[in-house]
Each structure stands twice: as structure tokens, then as C-alpha cells.
């Protein structure tokens, strides 16, 4: 079956632009996670949804970052007024239950802010 | 606070040699530990988890709470094992979020 998909795969933005990154989780997966992976580092947690509820957003680095999952399926990560330090790969992962399960990762969106 | 440390950024071995990728963690509670792997041009995927006590592709990892370690081992490395390996920790109470180490790039030479 289809895995987690993300779009766009690559995004180049000028500093100050807003961007929106999309994640399509595996159908029926309850949990959805966003991670940020800077070059040479491991993924860092950003936020977590259980269905449409955003249960943890403690990893969002600033109020310029906003995520939503309005219908409990597709999720969008929005970054306003992008800065160079936002350049990273943004990974989305989904999981069929709330705990004790494997997270299935998407291919990521590589964001470059010039 | 919790932390996952992978001391080796790069690790090279020859085919057939044993390999051990180190992972140490700091967490005062009872963690769940995982190894994720990313092969070239592929997405991150789960390799194994400590709770399952399984062997996947010849790899094993034992959680040593005394040493707070979860090293990944394989007795005979294969070229196809070349990949980036990430150790990850989940706290029992944190709804699934993972804390990752920085990763170890394993290269297995023919």
C-alpha cells in the first residue's frame, strides 16, 4: 500500500516568505508527527497530532511555525516569514495507534531558505 | 531531560567483520529504545525496537539499563548494511514522540 507522502519534495524560499508543507499519512493512521532534521543532525520533534487534535506542540521553535490537521488526515506545516535557520528537511511520520507502535516516515521536504 | 548520544558519526568496517554502533541515553524513567535506518535515497524506517527483543537482518540490540546503552550489533557485516543508523528513545508517557541521536553513517567495504 501507499506509504506516507509529502509535498513538495523540495522547496526554495526567499527569506521572509511563507511556506506550507503537506503530509499525507497512511490511511487510517491516528497519530501524526512532524520532525525537523538539520544537516548532519538527527530528526528533532516539532509537533504531534492524534486525529485532528494537536496534543503536543512543544517542539515548534517559534510562533512562526504552525501545524494543523483539520480532518484528522492530511496535515500542513506552515512556516511564516522564513529565516535561513529554518533550512532543513521536514519529516512527517504516522502511526496507527497512539503508543507502542512503529512510526512510518515520509520522504521529507527539503526546505532551503535563501 | 532525556538525551540520546551516538558517539561515532562515521564507522567503516570490511565485509564479514563484526560491527557495533554505539548508543547511550540519559533518562531517569523507563525508556523505549529503537534503531531506525536510512538507506541511500530511501526514507527513514524502523530496524528494531528493544521491547520486541528481535533480530532483524542479523542485527540485535540489548538494552543495558545499568550502562544506559542500546548498542546495535551484527556479527558479520554485509555491503548492503551501509546506511545511516539512528538510535531513538521514547519516554513512556510522551504520546509517542521520539528523541533521536545524531546518527552514525556505516560503510561496509567489500
Amino acid at each position: 500500500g501507499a506509504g506516507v507522502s509529502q509535498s513538495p519534495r523540495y522547496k526554495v524560499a526567499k527569506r521572509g516568505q511563507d511556506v506550507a508543507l503537506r503530509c499525507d499519512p497512511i490511511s487510517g493512521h491516528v497519530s501524526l508527527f512532524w520532525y525537523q532534521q538539520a544537516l548532519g543532525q538527527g530528526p528533532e520533534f516539532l509537533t504531534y497530532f492524534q486525529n485532528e487534535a494537536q496534543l503536543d506542540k512543544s517542539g515548534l521553535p517559534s510562533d512562526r511555525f504552525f501545524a494543523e490537521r483539520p480532518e484528522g488526515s492530511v496535515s500542513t506545516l506552515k512556516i511564516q516569514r522564513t529565516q535561513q535557520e529554518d533550512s532543513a528537511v521536514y519529516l512527517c511520520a504516522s502511526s496507527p495507534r497512539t503508543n507502542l507502535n512503529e512510526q512510518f516516515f515520509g520522504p521529507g521536504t527539503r526546505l532551503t531558505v535563501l | 531531560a532525556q538525551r540520546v548520544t551516538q558517539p561515532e558519526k562515521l564507522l567503516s568496517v570490511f565485509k564479514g567483520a563484526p560491527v557495533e554502533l554505539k548508543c547511550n541515553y540519559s533518562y531517569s524513567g523507563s525508556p523505549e529504545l529503537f534503531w531506525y535506518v536510512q538507506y541511500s535515497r530511501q526514507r527513514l524506517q524502523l530496524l528494531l525496537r528493544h521491547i520486541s527483543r528481535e533480530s532483524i537482518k542479523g542485527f540485535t540490540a540489548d538494552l543495558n539499563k545499568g550502562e544506559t546503552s542500546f548498542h546495535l550489533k551484527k556479527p558479520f557485516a554485509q555491503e548492503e548494511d551501509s546506511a545511516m543508523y539512528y538510535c531513538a528513545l521514547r519516554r513512556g508517557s510522551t504520546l509517542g514522540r521520539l528523541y533521536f541521536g545524531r546518527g552514525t553513517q556505516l560503510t561496509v567495504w567489500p
Side-chain angles (χ1 to χ4, degrees):
Chain A
V4 177
S5 61
Q6 294 185 244
S7 62
R9 293 292 314 280
Y10 302 90
K11 177 69 180 178
V12 178
K14 291 184 179 178
R15 192 173 55 178
Q17 279 186 332
D18 298 348
V19 298
L21 312 181
R22 176 187 169 108
C23 172
D24 284 83
I26 294 172
S27 178
H29 277 197
V30 168
S31 299
L32 186 146
F33 304 83
W34 283 98
Y35 293 88
Q36 179 191 58
Q37 186 172 21
L39 189 64
Q41 302 298 317
E44 295 262 355
F45 171 81
L46 292 176
T47 187
Y48 163 67
F49 290 86
Q50 184 178 322
N51 295 307
E52 69 278 4
Q54 189 175 20
L55 299 186
D56 187 352
K57 55 181 181 180
S58 61
L60 296 176
S62 78
D63 58 7
R64 296 185 295 104
F65 286 70
F66 172 78
E68 60 183 4
R69 193 186 185 197
E71 297 179 359
S73 177
V74 171
S75 178
T76 304
L77 176 67
K78 298 180 180 178
I79 309 173
Q80 298 177 322
R81 304 181 303 282
T82 52
Q83 304 295 312
Q84 283 190 318
E85 61 263 27
D86 300 335
S87 296
V89 175
Y90 290 86
L91 296 169
C92 176
S94 71
S95 184
R97 294 208 311 264
T98 58
N99 204 354
L100 300 177
N101 263 26
E102 174 179 356
Q103 292 185 21
F104 295 83
F105 281 82
T109 294
R110 181 177 296 277
L111 173 65
T112 303
V113 182
L114 303 177
Chain B
Q2 59 291 310
R3 186 180 179 89
V4 177
T5 303
Q6 293 181 251
E8 302 135 333
K9 196 161 187 176
L10 302 171
L11 184 62
S12 294
V13 300
F14 285 103
K15 176 183 172 181
V19 63
E20 179 180 69
L21 291 88
K22 291 185 168 49
C23 173
N24 289 90
Y25 67 90
S26 61
Y27 176 54
S28 56
S30 291
E32 297 169 33
L33 274 297
F34 306 82
W35 277 99
Y36 277 78
V37 61
Q38 188 167 25
Y39 300 102
S40 179
R41 289 186 287 278
Q42 293 188 27
R43 59 188 65 189
L44 198 59
Q45 59 186 283
L46 179 67
L47 179 62
L48 55 78
R49 69 197 90 181
H50 93 271
I51 202 167
S52 301
R53 302 187 67 82
E54 56 202 344
S55 173
I56 302 293
K57 298 184 179 182
F59 285 98
T60 59
D62 290 320
L63 178 60
N64 186 323
K65 292 189 177 180
E67 296 182 358
T68 60
S69 68
F70 188 56
H71 303 327
L72 184 67
K73 301 176 184 178
K74 185 169 183 177
F76 307 104
Q78 303 299 313
E79 290 177 69
E80 55 265 30
D81 296 329
S82 295
M84 179 68 85
Y85 291 81
Y86 294 95
C87 183
L89 175 151
R90 179 165 62 203
R91 302 186 315 191
S93 62
T94 51
L95 300 175
R97 83 179 264 185
L98 293 171
Y99 298 84
F100 285 89
R102 66 171 179 173
T104 297
Q105 176 67 51
L106 173 66
T107 302
V108 180
W109 300 103

